[in-house]
Amino acid sequence: MPSIPSATRPRLSMNLPSPHACPSSLAFGNPCLRMCSHKSSMRNAFKNSLLVLPLQLLPTSSAMRLQSLLNLVPAYLFYCSLAAAQNIILDDETDAFINNVLAEWKSPGGAGVAFVMKNDQNQWINVESKGYGQANPEGRKITEHTTFNIGSNSKLFTVLATSVLINNATLSPRLDWHTKIKSVIPEFNLTDPVATEESTLLDLMTHRTGYPLHDFSYRYSDVATDVIRKLQHQRQSAEFRDIWQYNNNMYITLSHLPELLVGKPFGRYVKENIFEPLGMNSTTYSYQLANSNGQRADGMAREGIDVYKDPFAGTPRAAQYWTSQTGGEDGSVVAGAGGVITSAADMAIWLQTLLLEGVKPGTNQTVFTPASLKRAVTGLSVQTGQPEWPESSLIAYGAAQLQITYRGHLIVEHGGFIRGFNTQISRLPNDNFGVSVLTNDHEYGKVIGEIIKNHIIDKALGLDPIDWNSRYKAVKSIPPVRATPRPDNAKPPSANFTAIAGVYNNDGYGQIELCLVTPEFRNAATNSSCAEVTSNLTTILPGAIRAGIPTLVAAVNSPWFSHIRVEHFNADLFNVSLLISTPANDTEKPFWTFNDKSTSDNGMIGELNVEGSNIGFGFAGFWAGLWDGAEAGVPKPSGATVRERAEVYWDKL
């Protein structure tokens, strides 16, 4: 064997830790664990880096050293596997971090957290779930089995249930992502004839119909067909497929498909095709079922919060549960848009399934196809025109899934918000892990979830952590704009207050009855329904009626509010508020008033319109309502008349 000059010999250096050191090296960014997460690619790279030259061309001593190193590979991988198995993300450090965040934000609730990670061979390195904080006012602790309402994270289940219908070969005609919704639901009509005829399943899923939220149009008593019927009377805010704007009504429309096409109520269809096959036994659309086992969390809020003194303080109270308390496992009207109730433990299963692209973890059973998930993830619209933070990118929105990059890493995720609950379910497919954070803090659960999620992602990636807690605290410590005080010499409206009181109708929203409730007008309530509203108003909405301001109130059976308050401001302008009468489980104070933001500008106004003997109200700021910033970038109506300017116009009957 010819000798090789020393100057040209390959350098046989390995910057690797000793295999025996691996199990005790538990920082998630350690080389052992990273290599174990990619065993086959590591093995090939290891061999290729060493075998630059055939062994027979090396000096005998070098060849022997190479062979000895190669013999270490199986042992190295074994010890790395031990390290991976011991590498817990939800460890004491994470526990302390999350508990500290909850304390700093004075959270009345807490969080259920799940983390999963696999290697390139789809072997699970981490499957973890844990609870933090309080589930209810009585102090019951959150565990991995505590159930939360996950709001709009329910939408991906709706999309994938629809994909099961799309892949159902027995349907005739077959569905596909581009099936025109009107060809399946002839009653589907919108104010825009183009959107009516051209809207596809995918358009409804991706919020590209040209219609804004219109959330306050549906009632607990509605069913999906009622919601579909109302669509033709709701105002469009943009051209068809022009911009992204969120619309829950379209997901309610999609939830009608299983019953229409296969005769199964939506909730049971999802249960039989997704929940049960995956073994997600704590996941349901049924409030009754979730409430029966003692695991259901209350959505928690802060009564008496003063955002100008201490935005994080307040008396902990349970918020009125948003998901309908009727309907059972069939699902209620809100099921398709936001009705799922689930736990951190079940979210671990869900994250595993998403990372496996529809395959049940631990089996080869396909629950939904990889192509279906890819279709959902594929971005069709730009959700945000500017990144929120330097570390993040623009957001591309698909079908109940969005894509964003964080510190150079792709995240596929979606958020969920409904009264009392904020959730975030995220996965990093290129890094083989996912994290879910379910919170029951109404006011700050969204940012608490982001803080926890980003901390876990930084830790899993082995990156220096960013102090997201301080960043978000600084943002949320900025008080909102104060409400403009009502003028002392406010001008009267164009019609007297007794004439303004009465029943109003909008075909896209239904009827409301505005009752005069200010003490000096209370005797004007002659009909039985208004008499009922005024008789116990101070009990069921304590503090909601302010002295000296002529006020009308309507009781509404809405998932979003129980009462509309219309307070006179000046001339024909009124301030509009959406309030929720909430049981307090307190004998001395049986109710508390949720969402009374009288001191700040909530952006909702009513304009009185008198046209001869006809009286009407135009509401603006009503599309977004309780969703702070939800309609950012959505064009607002404009015009010379109240009807033209109104997002929702009510005619007095």
Side-chain angles (χ1 to χ4, degrees), residues 346-360:
D346 274 10
M347 283 297 94
I349 298 173
W350 185 234
L351 285 168
Q352 289 177 281
T353 305
L354 294 174
L355 287 167
L356 294 174
E357 298 183 316
V359 174
K360 180 180 180 180

PDB file of all heavy atoms in Angstrom, residues 346-360:
ATOM      1  N   ASP A 346     -55.482  15.363  24.638  1.00  0.00           N
ATOM      2  CA  ASP A 346     -55.984  15.066  23.294  1.00  0.00           C
ATOM      3  C   ASP A 346     -55.302  15.920  22.239  1.00  0.00           C
ATOM      4  O   ASP A 346     -55.155  15.497  21.083  1.00  0.00           O
ATOM      5  CB  ASP A 346     -57.497  15.274  23.238  1.00  0.00           C
ATOM      6  CG  ASP A 346     -58.269  14.037  23.672  1.00  0.00           C
ATOM      7  OD1 ASP A 346     -57.634  13.095  24.193  1.00  0.00           O
ATOM      8  OD2 ASP A 346     -59.508  13.997  23.497  1.00  0.00           O
ATOM      9  N   MET A 347     -54.890  17.131  22.608  1.00  0.00           N
ATOM     10  CA  MET A 347     -54.164  17.965  21.650  1.00  0.00           C
ATOM     11  C   MET A 347     -52.794  17.384  21.324  1.00  0.00           C
ATOM     12  O   MET A 347     -52.266  17.594  20.230  1.00  0.00           O
ATOM     13  CB  MET A 347     -54.036  19.388  22.179  1.00  0.00           C
ATOM     14  CG  MET A 347     -55.318  20.214  22.058  1.00  0.00           C
ATOM     15  SD  MET A 347     -55.873  20.490  20.332  1.00  0.00           S
ATOM     16  CE  MET A 347     -57.029  19.129  20.089  1.00  0.00           C
ATOM     17  N   ALA A 348     -52.213  16.629  22.252  1.00  0.00           N
ATOM     18  CA  ALA A 348     -50.963  15.931  21.940  1.00  0.00           C
ATOM     19  C   ALA A 348     -51.201  14.911  20.824  1.00  0.00           C
ATOM     20  O   ALA A 348     -50.403  14.792  19.889  1.00  0.00           O
ATOM     21  CB  ALA A 348     -50.409  15.253  23.189  1.00  0.00           C
ATOM     22  N   ILE A 349     -52.317  14.189  20.904  1.00  0.00           N
ATOM     23  CA  ILE A 349     -52.671  13.239  19.842  1.00  0.00           C
ATOM     24  C   ILE A 349     -52.895  13.979  18.532  1.00  0.00           C
ATOM     25  O   ILE A 349     -52.446  13.548  17.456  1.00  0.00           O
ATOM     26  CB  ILE A 349     -53.936  12.448  20.227  1.00  0.00           C
ATOM     27  CG1 ILE A 349     -53.697  11.627  21.490  1.00  0.00           C
ATOM     28  CG2 ILE A 349     -54.397  11.553  19.076  1.00  0.00           C
ATOM     29  CD1 ILE A 349     -54.954  10.954  22.031  1.00  0.00           C
ATOM     30  N   TRP A 350     -53.581  15.112  18.607  1.00  0.00           N
ATOM     31  CA  TRP A 350     -53.892  15.881  17.395  1.00  0.00           C
ATOM     32  C   TRP A 350     -52.609  16.414  16.750  1.00  0.00           C
ATOM     33  O   TRP A 350     -52.448  16.339  15.517  1.00  0.00           O
ATOM     34  CB  TRP A 350     -54.844  17.015  17.750  1.00  0.00           C
ATOM     35  CG  TRP A 350     -55.362  17.836  16.605  1.00  0.00           C
ATOM     36  CD1 TRP A 350     -55.298  19.187  16.471  1.00  0.00           C
ATOM     37  CD2 TRP A 350     -56.059  17.365  15.440  1.00  0.00           C
ATOM     38  NE1 TRP A 350     -55.907  19.589  15.307  1.00  0.00           N
ATOM     39  CE2 TRP A 350     -56.379  18.483  14.654  1.00  0.00           C
ATOM     40  CE3 TRP A 350     -56.431  16.095  15.002  1.00  0.00           C
ATOM     41  CZ2 TRP A 350     -57.058  18.389  13.447  1.00  0.00           C
ATOM     42  CZ3 TRP A 350     -57.119  15.987  13.790  1.00  0.00           C
ATOM     43  CH2 TRP A 350     -57.419  17.119  13.032  1.00  0.00           C
ATOM     44  N   LEU A 351     -51.691  16.931  17.549  1.00  0.00           N
ATOM     45  CA  LEU A 351     -50.420  17.406  17.003  1.00  0.00           C
ATOM     46  C   LEU A 351     -49.640  16.268  16.350  1.00  0.00           C
ATOM     47  O   LEU A 351     -49.052  16.439  15.272  1.00  0.00           O
ATOM     48  CB  LEU A 351     -49.580  18.034  18.119  1.00  0.00           C
ATOM     49  CG  LEU A 351     -49.996  19.417  18.622  1.00  0.00           C
ATOM     50  CD1 LEU A 351     -49.249  19.757  19.902  1.00  0.00           C
ATOM     51  CD2 LEU A 351     -49.755  20.484  17.567  1.00  0.00           C
ATOM     52  N   GLN A 352     -49.619  15.098  16.990  1.00  0.00           N
ATOM     53  CA  GLN A 352     -48.946  13.948  16.386  1.00  0.00           C
ATOM     54  C   GLN A 352     -49.560  13.607  15.033  1.00  0.00           C
ATOM     55  O   GLN A 352     -48.849  13.360  14.045  1.00  0.00           O
ATOM     56  CB  GLN A 352     -49.054  12.733  17.314  1.00  0.00           C
ATOM     57  CG  GLN A 352     -48.216  12.800  18.577  1.00  0.00           C
ATOM     58  CD  GLN A 352     -48.453  11.583  19.448  1.00  0.00           C
ATOM     59  OE1 GLN A 352     -49.452  11.504  20.160  1.00  0.00           O
ATOM     60  NE2 GLN A 352     -47.537  10.624  19.387  1.00  0.00           N
ATOM     61  N   THR A 353     -50.882  13.604  14.981  1.00  0.00           N
ATOM     62  CA  THR A 353     -51.575  13.257  13.736  1.00  0.00           C
ATOM     63  C   THR A 353     -51.265  14.260  12.635  1.00  0.00           C
ATOM     64  O   THR A 353     -51.061  13.887  11.476  1.00  0.00           O
ATOM     65  CB  THR A 353     -53.092  13.197  13.980  1.00  0.00           C
ATOM     66  OG1 THR A 353     -53.367  12.287  15.046  1.00  0.00           O
ATOM     67  CG2 THR A 353     -53.835  12.740  12.737  1.00  0.00           C
ATOM     68  N   LEU A 354     -51.214  15.544  12.973  1.00  0.00           N
ATOM     69  CA  LEU A 354     -50.898  16.569  11.980  1.00  0.00           C
ATOM     70  C   LEU A 354     -49.457  16.427  11.495  1.00  0.00           C
ATOM     71  O   LEU A 354     -49.182  16.567  10.298  1.00  0.00           O
ATOM     72  CB  LEU A 354     -51.131  17.958  12.568  1.00  0.00           C
ATOM     73  CG  LEU A 354     -52.585  18.309  12.901  1.00  0.00           C
ATOM     74  CD1 LEU A 354     -52.666  19.657  13.600  1.00  0.00           C
ATOM     75  CD2 LEU A 354     -53.467  18.297  11.652  1.00  0.00           C
ATOM     76  N   LEU A 355     -48.526  16.141  12.399  1.00  0.00           N
ATOM     77  CA  LEU A 355     -47.136  15.948  11.985  1.00  0.00           C
ATOM     78  C   LEU A 355     -46.967  14.690  11.140  1.00  0.00           C
ATOM     79  O   LEU A 355     -46.057  14.612  10.304  1.00  0.00           O
ATOM     80  CB  LEU A 355     -46.232  15.889  13.213  1.00  0.00           C
ATOM     81  CG  LEU A 355     -46.000  17.230  13.929  1.00  0.00           C
ATOM     82  CD1 LEU A 355     -45.361  17.012  15.286  1.00  0.00           C
ATOM     83  CD2 LEU A 355     -45.138  18.161  13.081  1.00  0.00           C
ATOM     84  N   LEU A 356     -47.850  13.696  11.355  1.00  0.00           N
ATOM     85  CA  LEU A 356     -47.826  12.471  10.548  1.00  0.00           C
ATOM     86  C   LEU A 356     -48.721  12.591   9.312  1.00  0.00           C
ATOM     87  O   LEU A 356     -48.958  11.601   8.622  1.00  0.00           O
ATOM     88  CB  LEU A 356     -48.274  11.277  11.398  1.00  0.00           C
ATOM     89  CG  LEU A 356     -47.345  10.885  12.550  1.00  0.00           C
ATOM     90  CD1 LEU A 356     -47.988   9.791  13.403  1.00  0.00           C
ATOM     91  CD2 LEU A 356     -45.989  10.422  12.025  1.00  0.00           C
ATOM     92  N   GLU A 357     -49.232  13.772   9.061  1.00  0.00           N
ATOM     93  CA  GLU A 357     -50.038  14.097   7.872  1.00  0.00           C
ATOM     94  C   GLU A 357     -51.272  13.205   7.750  1.00  0.00           C
ATOM     95  O   GLU A 357     -51.584  12.681   6.685  1.00  0.00           O
ATOM     96  CB  GLU A 357     -49.184  14.013   6.607  1.00  0.00           C
ATOM     97  CG  GLU A 357     -48.039  15.018   6.608  1.00  0.00           C
ATOM     98  CD  GLU A 357     -47.240  14.978   5.326  1.00  0.00           C
ATOM     99  OE1 GLU A 357     -46.931  13.860   4.846  1.00  0.00           O
ATOM    100  OE2 GLU A 357     -46.920  16.060   4.804  1.00  0.00           O
ATOM    101  N   GLY A 358     -51.965  13.033   8.875  1.00  0.00           N
ATOM    102  CA  GLY A 358     -53.246  12.345   8.835  1.00  0.00           C
ATOM    103  C   GLY A 358     -53.240  10.913   9.303  1.00  0.00           C
ATOM    104  O   GLY A 358     -54.289  10.268   9.333  1.00  0.00           O
ATOM    105  N   VAL A 359     -52.083  10.399   9.699  1.00  0.00           N
ATOM    106  CA  VAL A 359     -51.978   9.012  10.171  1.00  0.00           C
ATOM    107  C   VAL A 359     -52.097   8.990  11.694  1.00  0.00           C
ATOM    108  O   VAL A 359     -51.478   9.793  12.388  1.00  0.00           O
ATOM    109  CB  VAL A 359     -50.655   8.377   9.728  1.00  0.00           C
ATOM    110  CG1 VAL A 359     -50.479   6.988  10.346  1.00  0.00           C
ATOM    111  CG2 VAL A 359     -50.594   8.293   8.214  1.00  0.00           C
ATOM    112  N   LYS A 360     -52.902   8.059  12.199  1.00  0.00           N
ATOM    113  CA  LYS A 360     -53.039   7.909  13.648  1.00  0.00           C
ATOM    114  C   LYS A 360     -51.712   7.484  14.244  1.00  0.00           C
ATOM    115  O   LYS A 360     -51.087   6.520  13.784  1.00  0.00           O
ATOM    116  CB  LYS A 360     -54.107   6.855  13.962  1.00  0.00           C
ATOM    117  CG  LYS A 360     -54.316   6.622  15.450  1.00  0.00           C
ATOM    118  CD  LYS A 360     -55.385   5.566  15.702  1.00  0.00           C
ATOM    119  CE  LYS A 360     -55.582   5.333  17.188  1.00  0.00           C
ATOM    120  NZ  LYS A 360     -56.631   4.309  17.453  1.00  0.00           N
TER     121      LYS A 360
END
